[in-house]
């Protein structure tokens, strides 16, 4: 399962490298394309980070946090490819830039409080923020007024996944991100002779992590490829490969888990 997990990480990077110059690829806004390949590359890089962390079976507390991030990126990739409208892509960009607007306003407020004296670090930060706006091709007014994205539960429903995917991937994954009571007991606390003590650094990465996340990513890759390549005859073989990998991972997991 570890090897398949790693393989899917490499596969996500492979699909992220498909060029818009390919004659099989539809015409797509370069910014939209950059969002999709960025999400694919994020899934790939984070999987390979988890591979490094968990190659000796440990760091389960950390790999769970990273898996939660991968899950969200894979769902957003799937959602954008299932609903590839300009509005959805622009809302995705804008939602990530609203914080930058607030940050910019605070920096400018501090500059005004010093009668226009600009610190070097403020100049660098303002330049960086402006660069984000310029690459997005959206105005600050548009960003500020744009509607929020659907929440992850709504995205999961809209791409056709069961509610259970949300509970496992998002809600339970959030335990590990936020350090809830359940998370503390699962990874960070132990009980010895009736006394609660810090747990030792011995948390394994569970085999289920090597199954659930790759299957969600493969579903996102499939939707991405079907969106990118419009001719079914062109995409049929590659989609078949993706489906075969998903089936192999599922079959292997059933053998491992037996009757679980």
């Amino acid at each position: 399962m570890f090897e398949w997990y790693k393989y899917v990480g490499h596969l996500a990077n492979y699909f992220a490298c498909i060029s818009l110059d390919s004659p099989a690829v539809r015409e797509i806004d370069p910014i939209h394309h950059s969002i999709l390949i960025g999400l694919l590359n994020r899934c790939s890089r984070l999987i390979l980070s988890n591979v490094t962390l968990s190659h000796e079976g440990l760091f389960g507390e950390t790999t769970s946090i990273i898996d939660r991030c991968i899950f969200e990126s894979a769902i957003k990739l799937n959602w954008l490819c299932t609903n590839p409208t300009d509005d959805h892509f622009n809302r995705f960009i804008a939602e990530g830039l609203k914080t930058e607007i607030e940050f910019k306003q605070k920096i400018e407020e501090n500059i005004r409080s010093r009668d226009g004296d600009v610190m070097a670090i403020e100049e660098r930060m303002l330049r960086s923020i402006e660069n984000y706006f310029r690459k997005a091709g959206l105005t600050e007014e548009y960003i500020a007024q744009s509607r929020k994205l659907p929440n992850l539960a709504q995205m999961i429903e809209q791409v056709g996944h069961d509610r259970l995917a949300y509970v496992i991937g998002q809600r339970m994954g959030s335990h590990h991100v936020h350090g809830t009571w359940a998370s503390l007991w699962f990874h960070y606390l132990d009980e010895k002779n009736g006394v609660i003590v810090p747990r030792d650094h011995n948390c394994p990465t569970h085999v289920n992590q090597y199954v659930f996340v790759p299957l969600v990513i493969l579903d996102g890759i499939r939707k991405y490829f079907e969106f990118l390549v419009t001719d079914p005859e062109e995409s049929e073989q590659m989609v078949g490969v993706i489906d075969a990998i998903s089936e192999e991972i599922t079959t292997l997991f059933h053998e491992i888990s037996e009757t679980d």
Side-chain angles (χ1 to χ4, degrees):
M1 294 314 311
F2 174 85
E3 292 300 328
W4 277 113
Y5 182 86
K6 181 169 63 175
Y7 180 76
V8 170
H10 287 297
L11 197 68
N13 180 262
Y14 170 81
F15 278 91
C17 293
I18 296 175
S19 172
L20 288 180
D21 295 337
S22 169
V25 170
R26 71 160 70 236
E27 288 189 17
I28 178 174
D29 187 311
I31 292 180
H32 297 179
H33 182 249
S34 69
I35 293 170
L36 299 178
I37 65 173
L39 288 169
L40 277 168
N41 197 32
R42 174 176 161 85
C43 290
S44 173
R45 295 266 296 277
L46 292 180
I47 272 195
L48 297 179
S49 296
N50 266 357
V51 165
T52 300
L53 284 168
S54 67
H55 73 281
E56 292 183 347
L58 295 178
F59 290 99
E61 72 281 13
T62 309
T63 55
S64 296
I65 295 170
I66 296 175
D67 273 338
R68 164 64 178 75
C69 299
I70 298 170
F71 172 80
E72 182 171 339
S73 292
I75 292 296
K76 287 181 176 178
L77 170 71
N78 194 331
W79 182 78
L80 287 168
C81 291
T82 303
N83 309 274
T85 65
D86 288 345
D87 177 64
H88 286 170
F89 280 101
N90 287 340
R91 284 163 64 188
F92 175 89
I93 296 170
E95 188 157 301
L97 290 177
K98 288 183 178 180
T99 302
E100 304 300 315
I101 291 179
E102 183 179 357
F103 189 33
K104 179 185 177 184
Q105 291 171 344
K106 184 61 180 176
I107 293 171
E108 291 174 338
E109 179 184 320
N110 290 340
I111 292 171
R112 286 193 296 270
S113 71
R114 298 192 301 271
D115 297 324
D117 181 30
V118 183
M119 298 169 61
I121 189 172
E122 291 173 329
E123 184 177 353
R124 290 195 300 272
M125 289 189 294
L126 289 173
R127 191 162 57 242
S128 175
I129 292 169
E130 289 297 337
N131 186 50
Y132 287 136
F133 295 152
R134 184 171 60 254
K135 288 185 181 299
L138 302 177
T139 65
E140 291 185 45
E141 291 73 22
Y142 180 93
I143 294 167
Q145 296 171 10
S146 66
R147 292 186 298 149
K148 293 185 64 175
L149 286 172
N151 60 42
L152 209 61
Q154 293 168 326
M155 288 186 183
I156 289 169
E157 180 182 355
Q158 290 170 17
V159 302
H161 283 311
D162 188 87
R163 170 75 181 183
L164 184 61
Y166 172 72
V167 175
I168 295 173
Q170 174 75 359
R171 296 302 296 272
M172 293 183 69
S174 292
H175 283 314
H176 310 302
V177 173
H178 300 299
T180 63
W181 175 244
S183 169
L184 296 181
W185 270 108
F186 195 74
H187 284 140
Y188 305 102
L189 295 174
D190 205 351
E191 189 170 4
K192 295 181 179 179
N193 300 321
V195 179
I196 298 172
V197 297
R199 179 173 175 172
D200 199 359
H201 189 42
N202 60 357
C203 298
T205 293
H206 197 283
V207 66
N208 290 1
Q209 293 177 240
Y210 297 134
V211 179
F212 180 68
V213 166
L215 290 177
V216 175
I217 292 175
L218 286 167
D219 193 43
I221 290 175
R222 190 186 204 277
K223 292 289 177 61
Y224 169 72
F225 195 75
E226 289 177 332
F227 164 65
L228 199 66
V229 179
T230 55
D231 186 347
E233 292 186 5
E234 295 279 358
S235 64
E236 182 178 359
Q237 288 187 337
M238 190 60 77
V239 168
V241 170
I242 296 167
D243 289 344
I245 295 169
S246 297
E247 185 177 342
E248 181 68 22
I249 291 173
T250 303
T251 300
L252 182 58
F253 177 64
H254 286 162
E255 291 178 6
I256 294 169
S257 60
E258 297 179 344
T259 58
D260 285 354

